[in-house]
mmCIF file of all heavy atoms in Angstrom:
data_model
loop_
_atom_site.group_PDB
_atom_site.id
_atom_site.type_symbol
_atom_site.label_atom_id
_atom_site.label_comp_id
_atom_site.label_asym_id
_atom_site.label_seq_id
_atom_site.Cartn_x
_atom_site.Cartn_y
_atom_site.Cartn_z
ATOM 1 N N LEU A 3 0.240 5.223 0.447
ATOM 2 C CA LEU A 3 -0.791 6.198 0.786
ATOM 3 C C LEU A 3 -0.169 7.576 0.960
ATOM 4 O O LEU A 3 0.364 7.893 2.015
ATOM 5 C CB LEU A 3 -1.522 5.783 2.062
ATOM 6 C CG LEU A 3 -2.188 4.402 2.036
ATOM 7 C CD1 LEU A 3 -2.817 4.098 3.376
ATOM 8 C CD2 LEU A 3 -3.212 4.325 0.929
ATOM 9 N N VAL A 4 -0.238 8.373 -0.084
ATOM 10 C CA VAL A 4 0.223 9.757 -0.033
ATOM 11 C C VAL A 4 -0.989 10.609 -0.387
ATOM 12 O O VAL A 4 -1.247 10.891 -1.552
ATOM 13 C CB VAL A 4 1.377 10.009 -1.028
ATOM 14 C CG1 VAL A 4 1.823 11.456 -0.959
ATOM 15 C CG2 VAL A 4 2.537 9.082 -0.747
ATOM 16 N N ALA A 5 -1.769 10.945 0.630
ATOM 17 C CA ALA A 5 -3.009 11.691 0.424
ATOM 18 C C ALA A 5 -2.978 12.989 1.215
ATOM 19 O O ALA A 5 -2.315 13.085 2.245
ATOM 20 C CB ALA A 5 -4.208 10.853 0.844
ATOM 21 N N GLN A 6 -3.700 13.978 0.721
ATOM 22 C CA GLN A 6 -3.851 15.245 1.441
ATOM 23 C C GLN A 6 -4.702 15.023 2.686
ATOM 24 O O GLN A 6 -4.418 15.555 3.744
ATOM 25 C CB GLN A 6 -4.513 16.275 0.524
ATOM 26 C CG GLN A 6 -4.561 17.666 1.076
ATOM 27 C CD GLN A 6 -3.190 18.319 1.076
ATOM 28 O OE1 GLN A 6 -2.362 18.025 0.233
ATOM 29 N NE2 GLN A 6 -2.947 19.177 2.024
ATOM 30 N N TRP A 7 -5.750 14.207 2.551
ATOM 31 C CA TRP A 7 -6.689 13.985 3.646
ATOM 32 C C TRP A 7 -7.399 12.667 3.425
ATOM 33 O O TRP A 7 -7.799 12.354 2.310
ATOM 34 C CB TRP A 7 -7.702 15.124 3.673
ATOM 35 C CG TRP A 7 -8.731 14.986 4.737
ATOM 36 C CD1 TRP A 7 -9.973 14.444 4.602
ATOM 37 C CD2 TRP A 7 -8.614 15.369 6.096
ATOM 38 N NE1 TRP A 7 -10.628 14.461 5.798
ATOM 39 C CE2 TRP A 7 -9.811 15.043 6.735
ATOM 40 C CE3 TRP A 7 -7.601 15.960 6.835
ATOM 41 C CZ2 TRP A 7 -10.031 15.282 8.083
ATOM 42 C CZ3 TRP A 7 -7.837 16.208 8.170
ATOM 43 C CH2 TRP A 7 -9.035 15.881 8.782
ATOM 44 N N ILE A 8 -7.578 11.886 4.479
ATOM 45 C CA ILE A 8 -8.380 10.670 4.440
ATOM 46 C C ILE A 8 -9.417 10.804 5.537
ATOM 47 O O ILE A 8 -9.077 10.982 6.709
ATOM 48 C CB ILE A 8 -7.528 9.405 4.649
ATOM 49 C CG1 ILE A 8 -6.483 9.281 3.535
ATOM 50 C CG2 ILE A 8 -8.420 8.158 4.686
ATOM 51 C CD1 ILE A 8 -5.519 8.138 3.703
ATOM 52 N N GLY A 9 -10.693 10.746 5.157
ATOM 53 C CA GLY A 9 -11.790 10.970 6.099
ATOM 54 C C GLY A 9 -11.998 9.838 7.088
ATOM 55 O O GLY A 9 -11.205 8.895 7.172
ATOM 56 N N ASP A 10 -13.114 9.912 7.799
ATOM 57 C CA ASP A 10 -13.475 8.922 8.812
ATOM 58 C C ASP A 10 -14.207 7.737 8.185
ATOM 59 O O ASP A 10 -14.914 7.883 7.181
ATOM 60 C CB ASP A 10 -14.390 9.559 9.865
ATOM 61 C CG ASP A 10 -13.676 10.626 10.674
ATOM 62 O OD1 ASP A 10 -12.452 10.499 10.875
ATOM 63 O OD2 ASP A 10 -14.339 11.598 11.080
ATOM 64 N N ASP A 11 -14.069 6.570 8.806
ATOM 65 C CA ASP A 11 -14.776 5.347 8.401
ATOM 66 C C ASP A 11 -14.512 4.965 6.954
ATOM 67 O O ASP A 11 -15.417 4.524 6.242
ATOM 68 C CB ASP A 11 -16.280 5.482 8.649
ATOM 69 C CG ASP A 11 -16.610 5.725 10.102
ATOM 70 O OD1 ASP A 11 -15.953 5.110 10.964
ATOM 71 O OD2 ASP A 11 -17.513 6.534 10.387
ATOM 72 N N VAL A 12 -13.290 5.127 6.501
ATOM 73 C CA VAL A 12 -12.900 4.775 5.129
ATOM 74 C C VAL A 12 -12.376 3.346 5.118
ATOM 75 O O VAL A 12 -11.571 2.967 5.967
ATOM 76 C CB VAL A 12 -11.820 5.745 4.592
ATOM 77 C CG1 VAL A 12 -11.320 5.313 3.230
ATOM 78 C CG2 VAL A 12 -12.373 7.163 4.541
ATOM 79 N N THR A 13 -12.843 2.553 4.150
ATOM 80 C CA THR A 13 -12.346 1.185 3.972
ATOM 81 C C THR A 13 -11.360 1.193 2.816
ATOM 82 O O THR A 13 -11.725 1.537 1.688
ATOM 83 C CB THR A 13 -13.498 0.219 3.669
ATOM 84 O OG1 THR A 13 -14.432 0.250 4.741
ATOM 85 C CG2 THR A 13 -12.982 -1.202 3.479
ATOM 86 N N ILE A 14 -10.106 0.826 3.101
ATOM 87 C CA ILE A 14 -9.051 0.790 2.088
ATOM 88 C C ILE A 14 -8.573 -0.654 1.998
ATOM 89 O O ILE A 14 -7.996 -1.174 2.950
ATOM 90 C CB ILE A 14 -7.880 1.719 2.459
ATOM 91 C CG1 ILE A 14 -8.379 3.155 2.657
ATOM 92 C CG2 ILE A 14 -6.794 1.660 1.387
ATOM 93 C CD1 ILE A 14 -7.333 4.078 3.252
ATOM 94 N N ARG A 15 -8.813 -1.278 0.865
ATOM 95 C CA ARG A 15 -8.407 -2.672 0.713
ATOM 96 C C ARG A 15 -6.968 -2.777 0.205
ATOM 97 O O ARG A 15 -6.361 -1.783 -0.175
ATOM 98 C CB ARG A 15 -9.400 -3.376 -0.181
ATOM 99 C CG ARG A 15 -10.756 -3.481 0.523
ATOM 100 C CD ARG A 15 -11.779 -4.266 -0.234
ATOM 101 N NE ARG A 15 -13.000 -4.391 0.548
ATOM 102 C CZ ARG A 15 -13.935 -3.450 0.645
ATOM 103 N NH1 ARG A 15 -13.799 -2.309 0.009
ATOM 104 N NH2 ARG A 15 -15.012 -3.643 1.368
ATOM 105 N N GLN A 16 -6.435 -4.000 0.171
ATOM 106 C CA GLN A 16 -5.027 -4.245 -0.114
ATOM 107 C C GLN A 16 -4.600 -3.778 -1.507
ATOM 108 O O GLN A 16 -5.396 -3.665 -2.408
ATOM 109 C CB GLN A 16 -4.686 -5.738 0.062
ATOM 110 C CG GLN A 16 -5.278 -6.650 -0.972
ATOM 111 C CD GLN A 16 -6.680 -7.124 -0.645
ATOM 112 O OE1 GLN A 16 -7.351 -6.605 0.226
ATOM 113 N NE2 GLN A 16 -7.137 -8.109 -1.388
ATOM 114 N N ASN A 17 -3.289 -3.540 -1.628
ATOM 115 C CA ASN A 17 -2.627 -3.181 -2.885
ATOM 116 C C ASN A 17 -3.164 -1.884 -3.494
ATOM 117 O O ASN A 17 -3.308 -1.768 -4.694
ATOM 118 C CB ASN A 17 -2.735 -4.342 -3.884
ATOM 119 C CG ASN A 17 -1.668 -4.264 -4.948
ATOM 120 O OD1 ASN A 17 -0.581 -3.762 -4.697
ATOM 121 N ND2 ASN A 17 -1.980 -4.746 -6.131
ATOM 122 N N THR A 18 -3.472 -0.913 -2.641
ATOM 123 C CA THR A 18 -4.048 0.355 -3.068
ATOM 124 C C THR A 18 -2.969 1.434 -3.111
ATOM 125 O O THR A 18 -2.060 1.437 -2.289
ATOM 126 C CB THR A 18 -5.147 0.777 -2.068
ATOM 127 O OG1 THR A 18 -6.113 -0.269 -2.003
ATOM 128 C CG2 THR A 18 -5.830 2.042 -2.487
ATOM 129 N N THR A 19 -3.090 2.355 -4.079
ATOM 130 C CA THR A 19 -2.136 3.451 -4.203
ATOM 131 C C THR A 19 -2.874 4.783 -4.240
ATOM 132 O O THR A 19 -3.781 4.972 -5.042
ATOM 133 C CB THR A 19 -1.299 3.302 -5.490
ATOM 134 O OG1 THR A 19 -0.612 2.064 -5.461
ATOM 135 C CG2 THR A 19 -0.298 4.444 -5.627
ATOM 136 N N PHE A 20 -2.487 5.710 -3.357
ATOM 137 C CA PHE A 20 -2.916 7.113 -3.414
ATOM 138 C C PHE A 20 -1.634 7.901 -3.606
ATOM 139 O O PHE A 20 -0.669 7.684 -2.876
ATOM 140 C CB PHE A 20 -3.529 7.611 -2.107
ATOM 141 C CG PHE A 20 -4.702 6.856 -1.579
ATOM 142 C CD1 PHE A 20 -5.069 7.013 -0.262
ATOM 143 C CD2 PHE A 20 -5.440 6.002 -2.361
ATOM 144 C CE1 PHE A 20 -6.145 6.351 0.275
ATOM 145 C CE2 PHE A 20 -6.526 5.327 -1.847
ATOM 146 C CZ PHE A 20 -6.876 5.500 -0.524
ATOM 147 N N GLY A 21 -1.608 8.839 -4.534
ATOM 148 C CA GLY A 21 -0.380 9.599 -4.669
ATOM 149 C C GLY A 21 -0.420 10.663 -5.727
ATOM 150 O O GLY A 21 -1.463 10.993 -6.277
#
Side-chain angles (χ1 to χ4, degrees):
L3 302 177
V4 179
Q6 188 72 30
W7 179 265
I8 299 175
D10 294 329
D11 300 321
V12 175
T13 301
I14 303 170
R15 292 185 176 81
Q16 70 273 14
N17 202 30
T18 303
T19 301
F20 303 163

